[in-house]
Amino acid sequence: MNALIRMRLAGFLRTGRAIAPLLAGLVTLGLLYGGGRAQPAEAYGVSAVVLFPVIAWQTKILLDVEPDVQRRLAQVAVGVARERLAGLLAAGVAALVTVGVGLLFPWLVGGVSGPVEPGDRSIPVGLALGLWAHLVAVPAAVALGALASRASVGGAGYGVAVLALGGVGAVVLGLSGSVVPWLAPPIMAAARATGGDAAALSLLGLTLWAVAWSAAVVGGYLWRRRAQG
């Protein structure tokens, strides 16, 4: 299965399909941090939100690179379950690289502010919260991108619709005061938590929410894969 993961990542890179989501992420982050400096926790909370649709789109592209015949041969070679798991893991690796770029980028362009006074712990705390917010967004974004992939929905138009509805819904349904926030991954709630004094219990609750939402969407992806054959 490791060979299959490496093959899919290699195909994603060698075909040049990785360039579009990378450029989209860099442009989005450039616009985000172009307005001035912010504390790391606040900046990273918003960064996780804007990278969510980028990672979802990146996942769809990665899973769509492999031809259908090659994907069926992979199922024969390693088994159906391992073939599908390999795709999700390859997308997860690519997503973590994107997160790394998102965490490093603001320091390169001066988008975050440093310590206000000696002994100020806002930087390490902000980095920890920012990393947490991005890691909360990753499984949800990968799950959404997988659900929108060609192997799941069968057509490009349906895939775009799933991505658009998922990306917009994550923001709209995640707004403060939403009556059905559980329908969306907690990326907006995580961004609000990084901007305030979030308790450890609330961070744990948001993490469990993200895991449960991602598991439900991955379940839908696997069901669609079974239906598509």
Side-chain angles (χ1 to χ4, degrees):
M1 188 171 70
N2 290 336
L4 184 56
I5 294 173
R6 291 194 298 269
M7 184 186 70
R8 286 176 170 171
L9 288 172
F12 180 57
L13 294 173
R14 290 176 182 174
T15 59
R17 304 292 179 85
I19 296 176
L22 175 61
L23 290 179
L26 290 176
V27 169
T28 303
L29 291 173
L31 293 174
L32 173 63
Y33 292 111
R37 293 190 172 189
Q39 288 296 314
E42 180 183 357
Y44 283 147
V46 180
S47 169
V49 173
V50 300
L51 285 181
F52 173 79
V54 174
I55 294 175
W57 180 38
Q58 175 181 270
T59 298
K60 172 176 167 51
I61 293 175
L62 187 151
L63 295 178
D64 286 351
V65 168
E66 189 175 37
D68 294 338
V69 173
Q70 183 174 311
R71 185 170 58 250
R72 294 190 179 96
L73 290 175
Q75 291 179 6
V76 174
V78 302
V80 172
R82 288 193 172 193
E83 181 273 323
R84 292 168 186 175
L85 179 60
L88 294 173
L89 291 177
V93 171
L96 291 177
V97 174
T98 302
V99 165
V101 172
L103 293 175
L104 180 62
F105 185 83
W107 297 96
L108 298 178
V109 299
V112 291
S113 55
V116 178
E117 57 186 19
D120 183 10
R121 295 179 55 82
S122 63
I123 298 298
V125 172
L127 288 174
L129 285 173
L131 177 61
W132 167 80
H134 284 81
L135 292 181
V136 163
V138 163
V142 169
L144 177 62
L147 184 63
S149 65
R150 185 180 68 250
S152 172
V153 297
Y158 292 119
V160 171
V162 170
L163 278 181
L165 288 174
V168 174
V171 174
V172 174
L173 296 177
L175 294 174
S176 181
S178 172
V179 295
V180 285
W182 47 270
L183 286 178
I187 57 170
M188 295 295 289
R192 290 192 293 270
T194 59
D197 297 327
L201 188 60
S202 67
L203 298 184
L204 176 60
L206 291 175
T207 302
L208 294 176
W209 176 0
V211 170
W213 192 91
S214 303
V217 176
V218 168
Y221 162 69
L222 296 176
W223 176 78
R224 286 295 307 167
R225 286 291 306 272
R226 189 178 300 113
Q228 290 290 333

